[in-house]
Amino acid sequence: MKARILAASKIHESALELAKEYAEVDVKTGLSEDELAKIMGDYDAIVVRSKPKVTKAMIDAGTKLKVIGRAGVGLDNVDKEAAAAKGVKVVNAPEASTISVAEHAIALMLSVYRDIPKARDSLKQGRWDRKLFMGCELYGKTLGLIGFGRIGKEVAKRARAFGMEVIVSDPAISSEDAKEYNAKCVEINEVFKTADIISIHVPALPTTKDLVNKERLAMMKPTAIIVNTSRGHAIDEDALYEALNEKKIKGAGLDVYKKEPLEGSPLPGLDNAVCVPHLGANTDEAQIMAGKIVIEKIREILTA
Ligand code: NAD
């Protein structure tokens, strides 16, 4: 008998086609946690995006459940402890959005450097403010990457194509590793002191909490900007607000925040900050890739 997979979020059609090669697939989106718990007993696998939550009640009700697939990076919406307690495997696709996030980091750098959001708003209001928007080039600038894993490395490749110098700080990276990407390993405070653009690509760990803090912001050049497409966890947002508001640094491009959705934060209201609502992985390509990777990982478990 074919295995049964429940797609409880909108998963890309091409990924669902892959799943149909080895399983019966039901797409049931928009159900509440209670409604999902009632039908969980019918399925060998469930696949979700960032919603709905896969709760303990749902996992306990999943008498046949062998695997939970999260078509995306984080596992925040899956009760991993409840899954482990019942021997249910959990799979995700952290590699699916690497290119999308790297391109997004470069987009934020250019948006801040050339004031694109403000210039667009100005023209939309019927003005022709050419003198107001004097930008600078990426060419010849030093990019400091904090975190040189999957995404940091892809950002480095693109930055080199723009003619930037690249310095990196990552405890897991040797000078030899960095050299492969034409980058130089330096100590973290060196990045804050010397980089023109700092781009953060670290995971959320106790050691990366508020890694960008008041002291390090004070080390930055007044002309420097900071871009964060990793996790809000890595930045002390009050200290960043102060540095931006008092023009101690030139600007910031932010995709991620300590608390999401962002509510009542003064950051998006700043003239020198380009803030967007966690769009790093929001591309057709990343969504298709995430769906396909997770469906393949589920296949391996269900057909083992
Ligand atoms: P990765 O695991 O491949 O790389 C992370 C790197 O950070 C590792 O090389 C690690 O050694 C390094 N690191 C850890 N602690 C450090 C520290 N204190 N200082 C410097 N470096 C440190 O991860 P990745 O796939 O490159 O993802 C990076 C970040 O991007 C993660 O936080 C991830 O959640 C986030 N992300 C965001 C989006 C988005 O939509 N904006 C999408 C995907 C991933």
Side-chain angles (χ1 to χ4, degrees), residues 72-74 93-98 100-102 104 108 145-154 168-173 188 200-209 211 216 228-234 255-256 260 277-282:
V73 180
E95 61 277 52
S97 53
T98 300
S100 292
V101 180
H104 193 50
L108 286 171
L145 296 170
I146 315 255
F148 201 56
R150 280 181 292 258
I151 297 170
K153 286 174 179 147
E154 291 299 329
V168 308
S169 164
D170 184 324
I173 295 293
I188 188 160
I200 315 290
H201 303 285
V202 295
L205 301 171
T207 48
T208 57
K209 182 169 188 292
L211 181 145
R216 290 198 170 123
N228 189 16
T229 55
S230 66
R231 294 291 203 98
H233 172 90
D255 188 46
V256 287
E260 296 183 6
H278 203 147
L279 301 179
N282 271 31

Side-chain angles (χ1 to χ4, degrees), residues 61-80:
T63 45
K64 294 188 348 186
L65 191 66
K66 293 174 195 69
V67 51
I68 299 164
R70 154 81 169 104
V73 180
L75 287 170
D76 300 349
N77 58 321
V78 177
D79 190 330
K80 296 180 284 294

